[in-house]
Amino acid sequence: MIIDAGEEEISLALLEDKQLVELHREKRNFKFSVGDIYLGKVRTIMPGLNAAFVNVGYEKDAFLHYFDLGPQFRTLHKYYQLSVQKKGKAGSIQKFRMEPDIEKDGKIGDVLSAGQTVIVQITKEPISTKGPRLSSEISLAGRNLVLIPFSNKVSVSTKIENQDEKNRLKTLVQSIKPQNYGAIIRTAAEGKKVAVLDAELRELIKKWESAFAGIRKDIKTPRLFIGEMNRINAILRDLLNVSFNNIYVNDELLQNEIKKYVRDIVPEKENIVKLYRGNLPIFDHFGITKQIKSLFGRTVSFRHGAYLIIEHTEALHVIDVNSGNRSKAGTDQETNSLEVNLEAAKEIARQIRLRDMGGIIVIDFIDMQSTENKQLLYEKMKEAMQNDRSKHSILPLTKFGIMQITRQRVRPEITVVTTEKCPVCRGTGNVKPPLLLIDEIETTLSSIIEKVKTKKILLKVHPFVEAYLNKGLISTRMKWNIKYKIFLKIMALPSYHLLEYRFFDMNDNEIDLS
């Protein structure tokens, strides 16, 4: 895992066998993440939709459907009201008298009214023109368990296949959980001892009850009630396992925070968190920038000249598989099509996970006649999607060679613009003489020396320009050092445009004369 902590945004890249498989970006001041719990105010009841629009502080009202209220909505609301009236001392949930479940096919107007305060949880982040999607069936996620207040049900992840282990975990959690608390046992809990699960359960219960204990101090709505951990820690919570080798981060404060979190959940893995101190940007050093540029375009190449064309629309995502100029002597068309399709299935699974595509995904594979080959491709696609943490469903190929996938959509799809403005004309269509670039750099350097009064300067340029400035026994860089009596260091950055250049001091602070 590689983490690039910028001033406004934190980017996280997940590599498997040096290949980029996930990319996450989070604004430092971003709110309304999946898992956040809010005190919202009902704005409008929509009987036709059997739903309500709720103000949670976002520019657009959030959507709460009747089916997402949860069977124990009345109990949750009653507990909230008593907490407000009694200054957070509504009593322990364990001894709280539960209200009857709301009707499965009831009407939203029978349960909610305009102006009512409700406790809601973000289940889908704002996407496009839509506000967040909400639920009042609250859950608090930990590494091994998910706590569900006002429920007594205990369920186990379907990814735990050993039935004896499933039974052990279920019996164990049922014996340690308090009354009126339910739990979902996550895949990470497999093989864990009772002390670990008990400690996490108590921590989640404490997080829930402490929020209500202080509710009287701030009853204004809308406001954040219980915040989900930041995206990085949430990903670590869900992903971190024995197969992780390294976590690199370029910010010391963030490194200490992550190290502490890793120490708490997997103590033996604490030393894999490392601070990156290199001169190159961290994504350039690990080859991630290059992978992003090659993987996020409309056309994505994979093996032997074959390629994918990926189109995104409001309603669905469309992926077309092309064999390109790929051909093998002595192989018939059916065999060739199968080989391309099997390779494409692996790359498509990677692209879906990398771009975080959600909703309906339609894939047009190369036509095959054999039923056995179509089944083989279907099985390969399911295998390739196994590591995808989002809920998904894959349908077999139709007679036209079309495969349909639905994938849970909880946040906007990752988009990266891979095209760049022309580095020569900068989009104007007018070209300045490249001959003058070196003179322009020297003029800027001269102004910096005169105005900033510094003797140590770092110049970052494209590798071609760096090679030109350093060529020869007495290079241009050396001549400038002698002429201006300075120490100039030149760094090549592949991510820069051909004619782009910037000056920095030795603390890597950009020198901007404007």
Side-chain angles (χ1 to χ4, degrees):
M1 185 179 290
I2 316 297
I3 301 167
D4 180 14
E7 291 183 6
E8 298 181 354
E9 184 180 72
I10 296 177
S11 300
L12 182 150
L14 187 65
L15 305 181
E16 290 178 0
D17 299 324
K18 296 184 179 179
Q19 281 199 319
L20 182 64
V21 293
E22 285 189 31
L23 180 67
H24 301 269
R25 288 177 169 175
E26 185 177 64
K27 298 287 184 185
R28 285 189 179 268
N29 59 352
F30 183 72
K31 300 177 182 178
F32 313 105
S33 295
V34 171
D36 283 345
I37 300 171
Y38 279 81
L39 287 180
K41 191 173 284 286
V42 177
R43 183 96 75 177
T44 314
I45 302 293
M46 303 293 289
L49 298 173
N50 204 16
F53 285 102
V54 181
N55 179 13
V56 292
Y58 187 65
E59 59 192 46
K60 290 186 178 291
D61 289 339
F63 184 79
L64 175 63
H65 195 276
Y66 181 85
F67 294 146
D68 294 322
L69 290 175
Q72 279 296 316
F73 176 78
R74 285 196 177 98
T75 305
L76 172 64
H77 188 61
K78 181 181 175 183
Y79 190 79
Y80 160 74
Q81 288 179 314
L82 288 174
S83 296
V84 171
Q85 292 165 11
K86 298 182 179 182
K87 300 183 180 180
K89 298 178 181 178
S92 170
I93 283 184
Q94 304 167 44
K95 299 174 183 177
F96 195 75
R97 184 178 176 183
M98 305 270 276
E99 296 290 308
D101 289 1
I102 63 173
E103 294 180 24
K104 286 185 178 180
D105 300 316
K107 301 295 182 184
I108 193 84
D110 297 337
V111 184
L112 292 179
S113 58
Q116 180 178 337
T117 298
V118 286
I119 297 176
V120 288
Q121 187 166 29
I122 306 287
T123 59
K124 188 183 287 187
E125 291 177 11
I127 296 173
S128 185
T129 58
K130 300 174 183 176
R133 180 77 183 252
L134 306 176
S135 170
S136 281
E137 194 164 13
I138 308 299
S139 62
L140 278 75
R143 176 165 170 77
N144 302 297
L145 301 168
V146 177
L147 180 73
I148 306 173
F150 306 112
S151 168
N152 280 302
K153 186 178 178 182
V154 175
S155 55
V156 186
S157 167
T158 54
K159 291 184 180 179
I160 299 177
E161 297 177 353
N162 187 304
Q163 192 59 46
D164 290 339
E165 178 64 5
K166 275 188 171 183
N167 294 337
R168 180 189 78 88
L169 288 169
K170 191 168 185 177
T171 304
L172 191 155
V173 172
Q174 281 175 331
S175 67
I176 61 174
K177 78 168 188 66
Q179 183 71 11
N180 294 339
Y181 279 110
I184 299 171
I185 302 167
R186 307 186 71 177
T187 311
E190 191 169 8
K192 293 291 192 302
K193 295 180 180 178
V194 63
V196 175
L197 299 180
D198 185 55
E200 184 171 299
L201 187 66
R202 291 177 186 279
E203 189 66 30
L204 291 172
I205 291 172
K206 181 182 176 183
K207 182 178 181 180
W208 171 256
E209 293 186 346
S210 62
F212 280 92
I215 199 169
R216 191 70 181 87
K217 297 174 184 175
D218 186 6
I219 59 172
K220 69 176 182 179
T221 56
R223 73 171 176 90
L224 181 65
F225 185 47
I226 302 175
E228 169 70 306
M229 60 178 60
N230 64 54
R231 181 78 59 83
I232 292 171
N233 284 351
I235 292 168
L236 284 172
R237 177 191 67 198
D238 296 343
L239 279 182
L240 194 63
N241 54 46
V242 292
S243 65
F244 260 79
N245 296 324
N246 292 296
I247 298 172
Y248 290 99
V249 59
N250 61 352
D251 182 275
E252 193 166 359
L253 289 175
L254 192 57
Q255 182 220 12
N256 292 332
E257 181 186 329
I258 294 171
K259 204 164 190 174
K260 179 182 181 300
Y261 182 74
V262 173
R263 189 189 308 128
D264 291 341
I265 61 173
V266 194
E268 65 274 16
K269 284 284 181 180
E270 179 187 349
N271 292 329
I272 70 171
V273 184
K274 298 169 184 175
L275 180 63
Y276 172 75
R277 298 180 183 274
N279 292 323
L280 282 172
I282 189 168
F283 272 18
D284 285 4
H285 176 80
F286 288 98
I288 295 167
T289 304
K290 185 177 180 181
Q291 290 196 55
I292 289 172
K293 292 290 185 184
S294 64
L295 291 172
F296 276 91
R298 178 176 176 267
T299 303
V300 178
S301 301
F302 50 105
R303 297 185 64 180
H304 307 298
Y307 61 95
L308 307 174
I309 294 178
I310 303 175
E311 298 278 8
H312 307 285
T313 72
E314 188 71 24
L316 47 79
H317 309 274
V318 182
I319 302 175
D320 184 33
V321 180
N322 294 274
S323 60
N325 56 9
R326 182 190 190 283
S327 62
K328 279 189 176 181
T331 58
D332 59 87
Q333 184 177 345
E334 181 77 7
T335 304
N336 194 53
S337 298
L338 176 63
E339 289 179 4
V340 173
N341 284 340
L342 292 178
E343 287 295 333
K346 290 194 294 185
E347 184 59 36
I348 288 168
R350 178 188 177 196
Q351 286 288 331
I352 289 172
R353 188 176 166 193
L354 181 61
R355 300 183 188 218
D356 205 4
M357 296 185 209
I360 300 170
I361 303 160
V362 177
I363 307 165
D364 182 12
F365 283 103
I366 299 171
D367 287 344
M368 297 184 296
Q369 304 301 318
S370 167
T371 305
E372 290 80 4
N373 287 344
K374 289 182 179 179
Q375 182 62 29
L376 189 63
L377 176 58
Y378 173 57
E379 297 297 332
K380 182 70 175 180
M381 196 73 223
K382 288 199 295 185
E383 179 190 331
M385 293 281 287
Q386 275 183 348
N387 290 332
D388 195 328
R389 291 173 291 127
S390 294
K391 293 178 183 176
H392 59 270
S393 176
I394 305 171
L395 296 181
L397 270 78
T398 67
K399 65 178 181 179
F400 300 116
I402 302 293
M403 181 178 286
Q404 299 168 67
I405 298 175
T406 59
R407 186 173 181 270
Q408 186 182 24
R409 186 180 188 182
V410 296
R411 56 181 58 92
E413 146 213 350
I414 296 283
T415 55
V416 176
V417 178
T418 56
T419 56
E420 298 178 355
K421 190 181 287 186
C422 171
V424 179
C425 72
R426 301 187 186 277
T428 65
N430 299 313
V431 181
K432 68 178 180 180
L435 182 69
L436 302 180
L437 175 66
I438 303 304
D439 290 343
E440 183 184 316
I441 294 175
E442 184 179 1
T443 301
T444 307
L445 174 64
S446 173
S447 299
I448 287 172
I449 295 167
E450 182 182 341
K451 293 181 181 179
V452 182
K453 307 294 184 185
T454 182
K455 294 294 183 183
K456 293 184 178 180
I457 300 173
L458 172 64
L459 170 62
K460 295 182 181 180
V461 292
H462 187 277
F464 292 171
V465 179
E466 183 267 344
Y468 178 82
L469 293 174
N470 280 321
K471 76 171 185 176
L473 190 61
I474 303 179
S475 64
T476 303
R477 180 184 71 86
M478 187 69 69
K479 290 176 183 176
W480 288 348
N481 280 340
I482 296 169
K483 180 178 179 180
Y484 296 106
K485 297 177 182 177
I486 58 169
F487 174 72
L488 176 67
K489 182 180 178 182
I490 302 177
M491 180 188 294
L493 289 181
S495 57
Y496 271 33
H497 299 314
L498 183 63
L499 304 184
E500 182 179 4
Y501 64 91
R502 294 181 190 175
F503 286 96
F504 297 80
D505 62 24
M506 286 306 171
N507 294 320
D508 211 29
N509 299 311
E510 185 173 357
I511 302 171
D512 187 0
L513 291 179
S514 63

